[in-house]
Amino acid sequence: KDMLEGGAFGDSGAEIVIEETLYGEEASIHAIVSGDSFVCLPPSQDHKRAGEGDTGLNTGGMGAYTPTSRVTAEMQAAIEEAVIKPTIAGFKADGIEFNGTLYAGLMLTDHGVKVLEYNVRFGDPETQVLLPMVSDDLVPVLLASAKGEPLPEKLNFHDGAAIVIVLAAGGYPGSYPKGEIITFPKEIANRAAIVHAGTKRDEAGTITTNGGRVLSVSSQAPSLKEAAELAYSVCDQVNFESKYLRRDIGHRELNRK
């Protein structure tokens, strides 16, 4: 009713498309492509819902982690054969010389892997966990992709896991306040990072909120549990009035038996 009668989404909400519901877990596969060749980054899992336990409205992403054990080495190989390679072949068949990042959003169902969407960019917030896991120098790989030059046969990754938690403004993904003063810890551990998103520096040099997803805190550690503990400890040291975050990022992986 909000969409059709209230115009909540403007013209884009004037029509309904009914689709099959897919049950399972999401997974994000990022491939750096150069012509016919590609290399994949580790499989990651985003958390789209605003509330803990995957409740509430969909957002741009409230956090992510990598790797996800749901995507085994065998499944990764199958995804590359059944999803990534045919897509690149499709580009070629359509006369498109694609060089860049191909990001496939997948649903891992009991009936196989289903493609939800493609983006020709890095994912947000997945990038904040993927980059810390790459042990190689990624810049030459991206430059080769941009130029359409050969890519390495594979990339090398650090052992362990990485996680990112989004600090959002109260009300997101609906209406939210702006201009709240943000305070930061004086220092953080080397394996953690604070990434700015919806922030603004005023003339006095004070950093304030200026978006729905305000900041994200990422960390990399020998295990997902350690990475989560480190990231959440930094989250608790960052403050602004309406700050909210999910405290269950990575819960599926952490609770697997």
Side-chain angles (χ1 to χ4, degrees), residues 31-245:
I32 299 171
V33 182
S34 181
D36 293 331
S37 66
F38 68 93
V39 288
C40 283
L41 296 172
S44 58
Q45 187 173 96
D46 188 12
H47 295 63
K48 293 289 189 186
R49 296 285 184 171
E52 294 181 9
D54 298 312
T55 58
L57 296 175
N58 263 336
T59 71
M62 293 298 294
Y65 71 92
T66 188
T68 170
S69 62
R70 281 286 279 114
V71 180
T72 62
E74 293 77 15
M75 184 182 291
Q76 176 73 31
I79 290 170
E80 292 179 15
E81 286 294 328
V83 177
I84 304 299
K85 287 183 180 180
T87 302
I88 294 173
F91 286 144
K92 193 172 183 179
D94 288 344
I96 299 170
E97 184 179 346
F98 183 81
N99 300 317
T101 301
L102 184 65
Y103 153 35
L106 309 175
M107 185 69 81
L108 311 179
T109 78
D110 291 339
H111 305 288
V113 175
K114 307 292 185 180
V115 179
L116 297 179
E117 63 173 355
Y118 271 124
N119 290 286
V120 288
R121 58 167 173 81
F122 280 97
D124 179 13
E126 292 95 337
T127 307
Q128 290 93 297
V129 296
L130 295 176
L131 296 188
M133 291 296 291
V134 180
S135 59
D136 294 330
D137 185 351
L138 195 58
V139 173
V141 180
L142 296 176
L143 186 59
S145 171
K147 291 182 175 181
E149 297 174 350
L151 300 177
E153 290 186 6
K154 67 173 185 176
L155 292 175
N156 295 303
F157 307 115
H158 295 294
D159 293 331
I163 195 169
V164 63
I165 294 99
V166 170
L167 304 182
Y172 174 78
S175 59
Y176 48 81
K178 294 183 179 181
E180 297 178 348
I181 295 175
I182 307 171
T183 59
F184 298 89
K186 291 182 179 180
E187 59 181 30
I188 60 175
N190 291 333
R191 294 180 290 111
I194 298 174
V195 181
H196 288 245
T199 64
K200 183 178 181 180
R201 189 191 299 271
D202 65 20
E203 294 179 356
T206 303
I207 298 176
T208 62
T209 64
N210 195 48
R213 291 190 293 174
V214 179
L215 300 157
S216 61
V217 176
S218 66
S219 66
Q220 194 273 332
S223 70
L224 182 61
K225 183 175 184 294
E226 292 171 277
E229 289 172 351
L230 175 56
Y232 278 113
S233 71
V234 176
C235 289
D236 290 337
Q237 298 175 68
V238 177
N239 289 294
F240 52 93
E241 186 175 351
S242 68
K243 179 185 85 171
Y244 90 89
L245 66 155

Side-chain angles (χ1 to χ4, degrees), residues 1-10 13-16:
K1 286 184 178 180
D2 287 343
M3 188 174 74
L4 294 174
E5 299 174 8
F9 302 114
E15 183 177 326
I16 289 177

